[in-house]
Amino acid sequence: MNKPAEFSPQVKLETVPVWINGKALAPSGRCGEVFNPVTGQVTKKVAFADSSLVDAAVKAAAAAFPAWRDTPVLRRARVMHKFLQLLQSEHKALARIASEEHGKTLDDAMGSVQRGIEVVEFACGIPHLLKGEYSDSVGAQVDTHTLRQPVGVCAGITPFNFPVMVPLWMFPLAIACGNTFILKPSEKVPSASIRMAELFKQAGLPDGVFNVVHGDKAAVDALLSHEGVKAISFVGSTPIARYIYETAAKAGKRVQALGGAKNHAVVLPDADLEFAADALIGAAYGSAGERCMAISAVVAVGAAGDPLVKLLEKKAKQIKLGVDMGPLITRQHRDKVASYIDIGLKEGATLLVDARKQHTPQEGFYLGTSLFDHVTPEMEIYKNEIFGPILIVLRVSSMEEAIALVNRNPHANGTAIFTGSGGAARRFENEVQVGMVGVNVPIPVPVAFYSFGGWKNSLFGDLHVHGTEAVKFYTRTKVVTTRWPHQDTPAPGFDMPSLG
């Protein structure tokens, strides 16, 4: 690895701007620092929006809304098609931006960008997705039909771990439905959102339809309280998701707030254990465990326990930092994740793979892999979403115990079962109380034309992101009943009308 140039305070850093009304703006005021987690160096600054800048973004979006709402849906779809083409041409460039600011490997970033692009592909079908229902002659000379109409100015608040994919879960569908949008990406990974705004404008999107502001809680609170914002989408931790939901709902906004997770993978004795171990290693340690869908808890059933743990131990030790797994997002987060190793030992879990004993690059925010066995549900390493490269193994004697264990957890984002039995898989998918289920699939993130989201403390609100549920979230249904009477139809009377 080539050593980067030493950071000097005299070096003038690029400032990542905000994007309002089709223009990049770099206002004076508070700024944040953007790191490259691989080197640990500050590479950029990012302009933080205050309430007045958020207000400017909302006003730009509100002014652009009437014309965009009234733009024929086919024309909106054509803009979306052009945006899709530009995203495809910039696929690797966007992945590089994500890799440089988040630290994930380039291959991992490429895959996440592709999953985001697939949502835009789905959004290109918006003329079909917005079709309503129609009933002819529900009464004498009476017809009824429904309309799906946009809600207005929408906002999205997205996390650091997927700088391209998660924003693409939100704004393309919202905009395709006829809304305007304000994106507040994580201030740790701001650059990809500005690049996507530039590409969207190049695709023909009118100014003001898509806006990007950066910042911390001040910017978030300004969006949550602004009366001009009609809907809020969020992905992040459970405490913040609950805060977003309660604050925005109290202000009368429509809200979908996706929270954290503790995702279990149940492994039955009849599973292909080599296959399962390979899948679990990638699901646990990929993206350094910084995924809301990462498998962080393996539930080994009966005789699967010992051989599975041996395989996991062997494979976890073979992971190469900087090749298979990148660093964590910040030094503070790395240190917090590492602190759970001591916590697990104090709680009595068996530490089989210890990140503290592995060679790590001296530069950057790297942490090696850790594996705990004989973990129990009372332990903090089980109860907390660690969001890092620590995998824990719990042991149970039966599938019934495994399902009960998963169902007791307050989080319910994703889960998986590894088995060769169709009957066991069918029972699991029906009885487990989790929003997304994989059968011999460790990370069951659905394809773009299905919706993503969990249950319990992993979701606040009623509708999930992308897929058809997102179309419902970003539109309101209007029911229209019409009558075109013949000339010989009697005039309306004063009695309660009936349609018989």
Side-chain angles (χ1 to χ4, degrees), residues 35-37 91-106 108-110 112-113 160-165 188-189 191-192 329:
F35 287 83
N36 182 338
H91 186 158
K92 191 165 188 177
L94 287 167
R96 287 193 183 281
I97 294 172
S99 178
E100 289 167 3
E101 293 186 354
H102 172 266
K104 64 179 73 212
T105 65
L106 182 59
D108 189 19
M110 289 283 287
S112 67
V113 172
F160 68 79
N161 54 340
F162 291 102
V164 178
M165 183 182 76
K188 298 179 178 67
V189 289
S191 300
I329 186 68

Side-chain angles (χ1 to χ4, degrees), residues 122-132 148 173 177 467-468 471 475:
F122 176 70
C124 288
I126 199 64
H128 175 75
L129 296 168
L130 289 181
K131 288 195 301 185
R148 283 208 166 274
L173 273 168
C177 287
T468 55
V471 176
T475 59

Side-chain angles (χ1 to χ4, degrees), residues 128-144:
H128 175 75
L129 296 168
L130 289 181
K131 288 195 301 185
E133 300 171 312
Y134 183 87
S135 294
D136 177 64
S137 297
V138 296
Q141 304 160 21
V142 175
D143 307 323
T144 298

Side-chain angles (χ1 to χ4, degrees), residues 64-393:
F65 173 64
W68 183 246
R69 173 197 62 201
D70 295 339
T71 298
V73 67
L74 278 174
R75 294 184 186 174
R76 297 204 301 261
R78 288 174 189 142
V79 173
M80 203 61 59
H81 273 284
K82 182 62 176 175
F83 181 50
L84 172 63
Q85 293 169 3
L86 292 170
L87 287 173
Q88 289 169 332
S89 69
E90 293 274 323
H91 186 158
K92 191 165 188 177
L94 287 167
R96 287 193 183 281
I97 294 172
S99 178
E100 289 167 3
E101 293 186 354
H102 172 266
K104 64 179 73 212
T105 65
L106 182 59
D107 285 346
D108 189 19
M110 289 283 287
S112 67
V113 172
Q114 176 59 32
R115 293 303 296 266
I117 288 174
E118 289 167 5
V119 178
V120 182
E121 290 177 325
F122 176 70
C124 288
I126 199 64
H128 175 75
L129 296 168
L130 289 181
K131 288 195 301 185
E133 300 171 312
Y134 183 87
S135 294
D136 177 64
S137 297
V138 296
Q141 304 160 21
V142 175
D143 307 323
T144 298
H145 67 277
T146 61
L147 304 173
R148 283 208 166 274
Q149 297 185 319
V151 299
V153 178
C154 302
I157 302 164
T158 57
F160 68 79
N161 54 340
F162 291 102
V164 178
M165 183 182 76
V166 175
L168 287 177
W169 284 358
M170 299 177 185
F171 73 81
L173 273 168
I175 289 171
C177 287
N179 301 285
T180 54
F181 202 91
I182 301 164
L183 175 65
K184 207 302 287 184
S186 168
E187 67 278 10
K188 298 179 178 67
V189 289
S191 300
S193 294
I194 297 299
R195 182 59 186 144
M196 288 190 287
E198 294 170 341
L199 294 176
F200 222 163
K201 179 170 183 174
Q202 189 179 335
L205 190 72
D207 292 346
V209 175
F210 182 50
N211 307 273
V212 182
V213 296
H214 307 293
D216 50 15
K217 189 174 184 294
V220 170
D221 285 343
L223 286 169
L224 298 181
S225 63
H226 201 295
E227 63 181 5
V229 177
K230 304 302 180 185
I232 296 279
S233 301
F234 172 81
V235 174
S237 68
T238 289
I240 305 301
R242 181 181 284 108
Y243 171 78
I244 295 284
Y245 177 75
E246 292 175 351
T247 306
K250 187 176 181 180
K253 305 183 192 309
R254 181 174 291 197
V255 192
Q256 53 178 190
L258 279 65
K262 195 69 177 184
N263 302 315
H264 303 73
V266 174
V267 183
L268 299 186
D270 68 347
D272 180 333
L273 295 185
E274 187 77 32
F275 171 83
D278 281 335
L280 294 173
I281 288 294
Y285 300 118
S287 200
E290 292 176 324
R291 294 172 173 159
C292 68
M293 287 293 286
I295 290 295
S296 55
V298 174
V299 184
V301 179
D306 287 344
L308 177 65
V309 167
K310 287 180 181 178
L311 287 168
L312 292 174
E313 179 180 1
K314 174 186 174 183
K315 294 174 187 293
K317 290 177 177 177
Q318 292 172 343
I319 291 175
K320 297 178 181 178
L321 293 181
V323 179
D324 304 313
M325 191 179 86
L328 292 158
I329 186 68
T330 63
R331 179 175 286 105
Q332 293 80 4
H333 183 57
R334 179 197 63 190
D335 293 346
K336 181 180 178 181
V337 171
S339 72
Y340 280 99
I341 301 174
D342 285 327
I343 292 172
L345 284 170
K346 289 176 182 177
E347 291 179 318
T350 304
L351 183 60
L352 300 176
V353 182
D354 187 348
R356 301 168 303 180
K357 296 180 179 179
Q358 298 163 24
H359 172 74
T360 56
Q362 299 207 345
E363 299 163 335
F365 310 136
Y366 285 95
L367 180 68
T369 58
S370 293
L371 175 66
F372 280 101
D373 191 12
H374 299 293
V375 175
T376 63
E378 296 75 27
M379 295 180 180
E380 292 298 317
I381 57 172
Y382 173 75
K383 292 191 290 185
N384 288 283
E385 182 183 25
I386 297 173
F387 220 63
I390 295 178
L391 179 61
I392 64 173
V393 179

